[in-house]
Amino acid sequence: MPRSPKQYDDIRKHKKELIMGVALELFAENGYHSTSMSQIAKKAGISKGLTYNYFESKSEILNELMEHGFNEIYDNLDINHDGILNEEEFIFFIKQNFKLLRENMQHWKLFFSLLLQPKVSATFGQKYEEKAGPIFNLFFEFIKSMGSKNPESDLMAISSMLEGAFLYCVAAPDVFPMDKLEEAVISSCFKIVKG
């Protein structure tokens, strides 16, 4: 029986996810520049030619991995898409990102280790600036609306604390219980903005 267009789309999506997952693992273990398309194809169990049907280059795979990572994190912000972050949405954002970490710790370990590679971090830095600009504006306006006396400084402190907490969970998940860390981060964010 011939496949439907939806079945073909599902197969394509599955293959792309497989290639991206394998690439992330290899990039993290061997380094981005030391990993070849041939290695990715072999580990994914598909031909190199078929791999190129999904991605033109390993650079395209890296870009899609970055895009996917950013989207997964930032899709949990401004849920009603009104351009204004409220207290409930801020808390939801933090909780959802801790949930992402819990659900797929291995993925995030690999993702963070990839981002920390010097040659990748240059690409990452530019993409991060593009993606994070609007996010920081939302945070800044939220912090101001909460009565912060120094919203710029508070934004830096809160952003650093969030990034640090997520990285801490990935790098040393057994040091602090994640549930307690999550609550401590939320509480500390509000202590910062309320002075």
Side-chain angles (χ1 to χ4, degrees):
M1 183 177 212
R3 291 186 173 129
S4 70
K6 185 187 179 326
Q7 287 172 316
Y8 278 114
D9 284 345
D10 288 346
I11 291 168
R12 183 164 181 78
K13 183 181 175 192
H14 173 73
K15 288 283 189 206
K16 279 189 85 167
E17 287 172 356
L18 171 66
I19 293 166
M20 286 172 58
V22 166
L24 178 59
E25 188 178 328
L26 290 172
F27 291 163
E29 288 174 5
N30 306 329
Y32 170 72
H33 289 285
S34 298
T35 301
S36 68
M37 286 294 274
S38 297
Q39 291 170 313
I40 294 168
K42 183 177 180 183
K43 183 148 186 161
I46 58 178
S47 73
K48 184 177 174 182
L50 186 58
T51 305
Y52 280 107
N53 282 342
Y54 294 98
F55 296 98
E56 290 180 13
S57 64
K58 103 181 153 167
S59 173
E60 186 180 345
I61 297 173
L62 177 64
N63 287 336
E64 196 143 336
L65 282 168
M66 300 277 196
E67 189 73 22
H68 178 75
F70 286 128
N71 289 343
E72 209 166 24
I73 291 167
Y74 293 128
D75 281 352
N76 296 311
L77 192 63
D78 191 22
I79 300 304
N80 63 4
H81 306 290
D82 64 355
I84 299 167
L85 192 60
N86 62 36
E87 193 170 330
E88 185 181 315
E89 289 172 316
F90 181 76
I91 292 168
F92 179 80
F93 171 76
I94 295 171
K95 287 183 174 281
Q96 283 302 109
N97 282 298
F98 272 99
K99 184 179 176 209
L100 279 174
L101 289 174
R102 279 187 205 91
E103 289 174 350
N104 200 348
M105 186 64 76
Q106 184 60 23
H107 168 84
W108 291 104
K109 278 185 181 181
L110 295 172
F111 188 75
F112 277 116
S113 68
L114 173 63
L115 295 182
L116 295 173
Q117 293 176 28
K119 291 182 180 176
V120 173
S121 64
T123 303
F124 165 71
Q126 184 180 355
K127 283 203 170 296
Y128 185 77
E129 280 182 40
E130 290 167 14
K131 281 283 194 186
I135 305 307
F136 285 139
N137 285 339
L138 274 175
F139 276 162
F140 182 81
E141 292 303 324
F142 169 70
I143 290 167
K144 252 177 40 177
S145 76
M146 294 298 293
S148 169
K149 292 182 176 122
N150 189 345
E152 187 175 332
S153 192
D154 290 347
L155 172 64
M156 287 188 276
I158 289 170
S159 298
S160 298
M161 181 173 52
L162 289 172
E163 296 277 343
F166 298 146
L167 189 55
Y168 212 99
C169 288
V170 167
D174 298 327
V175 174
F176 295 118
M178 202 180 295
D179 291 341
K180 287 186 178 179
L181 182 58
E182 178 182 326
E183 291 307 317
V185 165
I186 292 168
S187 172
S188 296
C189 285
F190 287 106
K191 284 179 187 169
I192 290 170
V193 295
K194 292 179 180 177

